[in-house]
Amino acid sequence: MDIITTEWNELPKELLELIFKRLQYVQDMLRFGAVCRPWSLVASEVTQLFKPGSPILLLPPVNNNEAYRLFNLSKSKGVEIQLEGTCGAWCCNSWNGWLLTINCTPPYAINFLDLMGGVQIQLPPAMAFEHPPPEISSSAPSNPICIFMAICCNWAELAFCKPGDRRWTTLECRVPYKDIIYYKDNFYAVGQSGLVQCEIGEELKVIPFALRVKLEALEHAYLVESSGDLLQVIREVEWEDVDAAHPPRYYTSTFEPARLHAVSFMVIKEYHQPSLHILTLVPDSGSMAWRYVGSLFGSRWNFSSVFQGTIREVEPGCHTIKSHGAQVARDHKHDWLILLILVMIAIILFVFIHPFYRFVGKDMMNDLKYPLKDNTVPGWAVPMYAVLLPIVIFILFYLRRRDVYDLHHSILGLLFSVLITVVITEAIKDAVGRPRPDFFWRCFPDGKDVYDQWGDVICHGKDSVIREGHKSFPSGHTSGSFAGLGFLSLYLSGKIQAFDRKGHVAKLCIVFLPLLAASLVGVSRVDDYWHHWQDVFAGGLLGLVVAFFCYLQFFPPPYDNNGSGPYAYFKMLEELRANRQPVHSVNVQDAQGMEVVLPQQPSQNNGFMALSLDHDATDSLDQMEAGRR
Amino acid sequence: MAFTKKVTLKSSDGELFIIDRAVALQSRTIQYVLEDTNPVDAIIPVPAVDARTLSKVLEYCKKHLIDLNTDFEDYSKWDKDFVDAEVWMLYDLIMAADYLHIPPLIDLICDKIASMFKGQTPDKIREIFNIDNDFSKEEEEDFKKKSGWAFK
């Protein structure tokens, strides 16, 4: 046979493209591009796709015989990748280009696969762990003295091993752990009882760590590292009954990260895969490096869930008296000014304005002949329990929540509630001039009643006492108490989420406690014969109405979803969120359009989850990596 | 005008192939020639394809025309054997298929070639396809740097 020299490198471009389209794996595509110049032109698009720095998702195969898929978030394109030795195994975690796979069948061999160099490290099998496989974390695997830590599944205790060990060594701590992470030279594990730190030294030490949490039954905790911060994310699971035939459907209601400054997740569709890993590609010494950002959605919880929206922030940038107190007060300076004017009006009404002296005839005296008694609740006590007590409670809440808006607005609202009530009450008192039940003895201290030609009383008692005797309607004690304590009751019902539709009726006891106190004050006024029951009734109603108005000025209604804080707080949160985004998007140019809908997997009708990866995650991961070296 | 049942093709090295018109019509190129000129018993030259390749291409065309009731399994097996050829033969075939414009044949050969790339290093690919390395040392280093993991 004669030798024919073929010119493969001169194959027409359209034919080359046809061939290139048929390549299945990234490896092959990149190698294709490295064969010769005309070929590299054809492959340039894919080479661009895997430029260092663009965030990549590693999508696990749906069936065992399928390939892993790498998905470039910023370009919305994906390709398959060949991972040898992953057949029959599943990827449960990855760090810095290493992929951890666990075989699905006994003895559950654990493999550590280097995506860069193809190196494999065999870890002791997970036989002792029982299925499902454990959470495993590791210090930098490329480090020769690396340590692997795992959560064993039978007791969920911690275990560790080094490459080459034949078995896992269990640590003596019988606390069920949920997640484990390697972060800045230490391991951290989170469990039902809180977060612990595992120090790597001569021997591994487990010490409790500051961030303590108590998890409820349907809460799961995860540890995620992002932008150099250690995040503790609590996933709250709720369930609903579909019907009798099917098991209840579990879904994730909220994610609560304990520190949220870097990553925001926005999951917009259902996702049924057991694990999903976010990898970022960054320039590294001579190879493509893969950085692990987080696997919130692994590994033990195969959940199908729909969550939408951004994560609720638990600790926003704290707005305290120091940082924002002056600003808030300045914003409300006019309100404080009006408050002062209200105080002055109240004093004027109280001291200078003479009440109307209503006609009191002889036959009316039957109802006004009650004995003179001292106040059970003295006048000075009303501001104590109606103003100072609520303020103390507000301050207690502030100490816990560190939210200056809550403190300022509750105090301002309370003062307004009380002062408006006082002004209205005093004004009505003076205008109505209704005699008190003990008016007879105020007017005629000696018991001798004298009337003028029209039958009106001619008093010979002390002037100030008589004047006070004409201020029966409405009851000032009662209206003030209801204004202050009613406001407190509203505030408390918002704070303890009394109307959260979960039927915790006992919370109402707390809500009604201040109202009961106010009612007892009202009753004491009748018992002291200082007021008729109508006065007390009207006063209570007046105080309550004003309290409602003032509370709703600053706070959402207590039954609102956001009822736990003032409007200003949620507005501040929103602004915080809005301000944060542009800062991040300038960091990586090709990270625009980060929210993508992943393509539909052909074999299953599963939806996909799309993640919005925080853009500066790569940056800080770089720094982190640099610091580690 | 008489409707010719037979068409004569002439390869680059002068060999004549007398085939059914229906077979020849699978090639879009020949189809256009026939429609445009409608030659009566004329010879259509195929200057880009030599006799050996042309006979192979025509073998493919006949197979895919005649056995219309052959089921898919048989076809795929036949196709597989058909492209199980030397690398230079594949080159001639794909060039011929491209010139004659026979889309299914192009697809078939592309699939075959793509499968040959699977898991091969660039050096090995150059060896298989007899391609000279026209990259400089610096460029090669650059590949290794950018996506070195793919070349190990």
Side-chain angles (χ1 to χ4, degrees):
Chain A
M1 184 163 290
D2 50 355
I3 291 165
I4 299 167
T5 49
T6 48
E7 306 295 335
W8 279 97
N9 49 344
E10 286 167 20
L11 208 63
K13 191 158 181 266
E14 58 271 19
L15 287 180
L16 265 182
E17 275 170 357
L18 281 176
I19 294 170
F20 184 72
K21 263 185 212 157
R22 285 169 166 77
L23 294 179
Q24 277 183 313
Y25 300 108
V26 190
Q27 249 168 331
D28 291 337
M29 294 177 195
L30 294 177
R31 287 167 170 183
F32 182 96
V35 170
C36 60
R37 277 173 205 281
W39 290 25
S40 72
L41 289 177
V42 173
S44 64
E45 200 187 329
V46 170
T47 325
Q48 293 290 316
L49 203 63
F50 289 93
K51 249 167 85 174
S54 24
I56 303 279
L57 291 183
L58 177 66
L59 305 179
V62 176
N63 300 318
N64 276 339
N65 50 357
E66 281 178 25
Y68 281 80
R69 272 167 57 81
L70 286 173
F71 192 85
N72 189 315
L73 277 174
S74 51
K75 300 228 159 88
S76 298
K77 275 183 184 168
V79 274
E80 290 188 328
I81 181 175
Q82 231 174 354
L83 294 178
E84 273 160 41
T86 54
C87 187
W90 69 306
C91 162
C92 78
N93 223 335
S94 71
W95 311 262
N96 304 342
W98 290 77
L99 202 66
L100 182 82
T101 62
I102 298 184
N103 226 300
C104 294
T105 47
Y108 310 122
I110 303 176
N111 249 313
F112 226 48
L113 188 72
D114 182 8
L115 292 175
M116 293 176 269
V119 182
Q120 280 200 24
I121 296 179
Q122 283 261 346
L123 295 187
M127 194 61 184
F129 293 151
E130 297 176 4
H131 213 61
E135 292 280 348
I136 301 181
S137 187
S138 163
S139 56
S142 43
N143 191 334
I145 50 159
C146 78
I147 287 180
F148 296 88
M149 281 206 93
I151 298 171
C152 315
C153 281
N154 31 5
W155 286 100
E157 70 252 23
L158 298 172
F160 71 94
C161 79
K162 291 171 183 156
D165 283 2
R166 303 194 59 181
R167 51 186 302 122
W168 291 86
T169 315
T170 336
L171 288 173
E172 283 299 317
C173 49
R174 288 285 164 95
V175 182
Y177 287 102
K178 293 247 173 188
D179 198 11
I180 186 167
I181 197 170
Y182 178 78
Y183 172 74
K184 288 189 181 163
D185 305 329
N186 286 310
F187 284 102
Y188 295 84
V190 69
Q192 289 299 20
S193 62
L195 190 79
V196 293
Q197 186 186 39
C198 310
E199 267 188 0
I200 310 168
E202 289 295 303
E203 54 188 70
L204 277 166
K205 270 190 292 179
V206 178
I207 43 176
F209 194 63
L211 259 169
R212 278 198 155 264
V213 280
K214 282 273 180 212
L215 295 177
E216 284 174 26
L218 284 174
E219 282 181 344
H220 304 297
Y222 302 91
L223 295 169
V224 180
E225 184 182 338
S226 176
S227 299
D229 281 339
L230 182 66
L231 300 187
Q232 178 185 268
V233 181
I234 297 189
R235 180 164 69 88
E236 215 171 292
V237 178
E238 287 178 13
W239 57 277
E240 60 183 23
D241 285 316
V242 185
D243 52 58
H246 294 86
R249 198 174 74 87
Y250 286 85
Y251 63 94
T252 300
S253 56
T254 47
F255 276 126
E256 283 197 350
R259 263 181 79 109
L260 190 89
H261 291 298
V263 179
S264 66
F265 291 89
M266 194 140 160
V267 186
I268 58 170
K269 272 191 164 181
E270 283 195 17
Y271 189 72
H272 293 272
Q273 294 302 321
S275 61
L276 176 98
H277 296 262
I278 306 162
L279 301 165
T280 47
L281 307 182
V282 276
D284 202 14
S285 51
S287 58
M288 183 190 253
W290 308 60
R291 296 277 151 75
Y292 168 67
V293 176
S295 74
L296 270 184
F297 315 99
S299 319
R300 249 180 288 166
W301 312 105
N302 186 353
F303 60 94
S304 65
S305 49
V306 187
F307 6 85
Q308 237 166 349
T310 43
I311 299 168
R312 217 176 85 204
E313 297 188 30
V314 177
E315 272 182 90
C318 270
H319 285 207
T320 56
I321 296 178
K322 253 188 200 161
S323 66
H324 288 76
Q327 178 65 38
V328 180
R330 250 200 314 278
D331 287 348
H332 287 271
K333 59 172 185 261
H334 294 116
D335 296 312
W336 287 105
L337 194 73
I338 300 294
L339 195 77
L340 277 181
I341 296 174
L342 280 179
V343 173
M344 276 164 10
I345 294 175
I347 291 171
I348 291 169
L349 285 171
F350 197 73
V351 179
F352 300 105
I353 304 290
H354 210 71
F356 169 59
Y357 278 15
R358 182 167 288 277
F359 172 87
V360 184
K362 191 177 165 71
D363 44 350
M364 291 165 74
M365 277 301 176
N366 287 340
D367 283 343
L368 307 176
K369 265 190 183 163
Y370 291 95
L372 273 172
K373 275 180 84 174
D374 279 339
N375 287 313
T376 311
V377 180
W380 55 264
V382 177
M384 294 297 139
Y385 64 75
V387 178
L388 289 186
L389 174 73
I391 287 178
V392 168
I393 291 173
F394 299 158
I395 289 172
L396 289 180
F397 271 102
Y398 170 75
L399 292 179
R400 229 186 112 208
R401 292 169 53 115
R402 297 265 154 208
D403 174 14
V404 69
Y405 300 102
D406 192 71
L407 179 70
H408 175 271
H409 291 353
S410 52
I411 290 178
L412 187 61
L414 176 81
L415 290 180
F416 258 92
S417 169
V418 171
L419 277 168
I420 289 176
T421 307
V422 166
V423 168
I424 293 178
T425 309
E426 283 303 317
I428 297 176
K429 269 178 193 269
D430 287 341
V432 172
R434 188 185 189 192
R436 294 187 186 269
D438 53 6
F439 182 79
F440 182 85
W441 298 105
R442 282 173 185 271
C443 191
F444 312 116
D446 50 1
K448 290 178 185 153
D449 45 345
V450 188
Y451 302 94
D452 63 10
Q453 49 186 335
W454 296 285
D456 198 1
V457 285
I458 301 170
C459 292
H460 48 266
K462 221 172 136 193
D463 257 358
S464 62
V465 176
I466 298 161
R467 191 173 136 176
E468 191 56 41
H470 273 289
K471 284 186 171 184
S472 184
F473 183 90
S475 161
H477 274 65
T478 316
S479 68
S481 300
F482 270 92
L485 295 176
F487 190 93
L488 177 66
S489 152
L490 283 166
Y491 179 86
L492 288 176
S493 65
K495 284 288 170 291
I496 62 173
Q497 298 273 299
F499 308 106
D500 56 4
R501 287 158 227 181
K502 287 178 186 158
H504 294 302
V505 72
K507 286 180 177 177
L508 288 184
C509 294
I510 295 177
V511 175
F512 281 119
L513 194 64
L515 293 178
L516 175 68
S519 308
L520 287 177
V521 171
V523 171
S524 82
R525 304 304 291 160
V526 181
D527 291 352
D528 291 344
Y529 309 123
W530 275 62
H531 282 292
H532 309 273
W533 69 265
Q534 298 96 328
D535 311 339
V536 170
F537 190 82
L541 200 65
L542 172 70
L544 260 189
V545 168
V546 174
F548 257 109
F549 272 94
C550 289
Y551 182 81
L552 294 180
Q553 272 293 317
F554 298 105
F555 293 85
Y559 52 80
D560 197 276
N561 284 339
N562 284 344
S564 62
Y567 288 117
Y569 172 77
F570 295 103
K571 197 174 155 219
M572 177 269 292
L573 279 192
E574 248 166 50
E575 277 168 6
L576 217 63
R577 244 177 242 137
N579 289 341
R580 197 177 279 156
Q581 273 151 15
V583 176
H584 292 161
S585 55
V586 290
N587 283 332
V588 184
Q589 288 108 341
D590 55 2
Q592 282 158 359
M594 293 291 279
E595 281 160 38
V596 288
V597 181
L598 300 185
Q600 205 77 25
Q601 204 88 331
S603 56
Q604 278 184 341
N605 241 1
N606 293 342
F608 265 89
M609 191 156 60
L611 290 125
S612 151
L613 191 66
D614 193 81
H615 308 152
D616 62 11
T618 34
D619 286 9
S620 43
L621 279 167
D622 272 350
Q623 290 154 13
M624 190 192 83
E625 187 67 11
R628 189 183 284 162
R629 262 192 232 113
Chain B
M1 199 178 290
F3 185 76
T4 30
K5 289 279 186 177
K6 292 282 178 185
V7 178
T8 308
L9 302 182
K10 186 185 174 190
S11 70
S12 61
D13 41 4
E15 209 168 307
L16 296 180
F17 292 86
I18 302 166
I19 51 164
D20 285 335
R21 188 189 157 93
V23 173
L25 279 178
Q26 285 187 55
S27 154
R28 299 268 172 83
T29 312
I30 293 176
Q31 187 190 342
Y32 293 142
V33 173
L34 288 175
E35 276 169 8
D36 284 356
T37 61
N38 205 359
V40 183
D41 294 332
I43 294 169
I44 301 170
V46 190
V49 187
D50 62 19
R52 183 169 39 197
T53 317
L54 190 57
S55 70
K56 198 104 162 103
V57 171
L58 293 178
E59 189 190 332
Y60 174 86
C61 293
K62 273 178 201 158
K63 178 71 184 175
H64 281 249
L65 178 81
I66 297 162
D67 298 339
L68 273 182
N69 36 12
T70 319
D71 61 36
F72 180 77
E73 284 284 311
D74 284 348
Y75 262 122
S76 58
K77 188 177 180 322
W78 189 90
D79 284 350
K80 205 165 162 259
D81 291 341
F82 180 78
V83 290
D84 192 14
E86 296 284 326
V87 173
W88 55 264
M89 188 71 210
L90 288 178
Y91 180 80
D92 287 347
L93 274 176
I94 197 169
M95 293 302 277
D98 189 41
Y99 175 79
L100 290 169
H101 207 327
I102 311 170
L105 183 57
I106 297 175
D107 287 346
L108 178 64
I109 300 166
C110 284
D111 280 342
K112 168 67 182 174
I113 295 170
S115 73
M116 291 165 76
F117 285 115
K118 199 170 174 180
Q120 302 288 4
T121 61
D123 286 335
K124 189 89 176 123
I125 296 171
R126 285 192 207 105
E127 196 186 311
I128 294 172
F129 293 96
N130 193 20
I131 299 171
D132 289 331
N133 186 359
D134 56 354
F135 286 116
S136 63
K137 273 264 175 286
E138 289 76 34
E139 283 172 310
E140 292 231 301
E141 282 303 306
D142 193 45
F143 281 130
K144 293 251 158 67
K145 205 169 177 180
K146 267 192 192 153
S147 41
W149 61 278
F151 300 103
K152 282 176 184 165

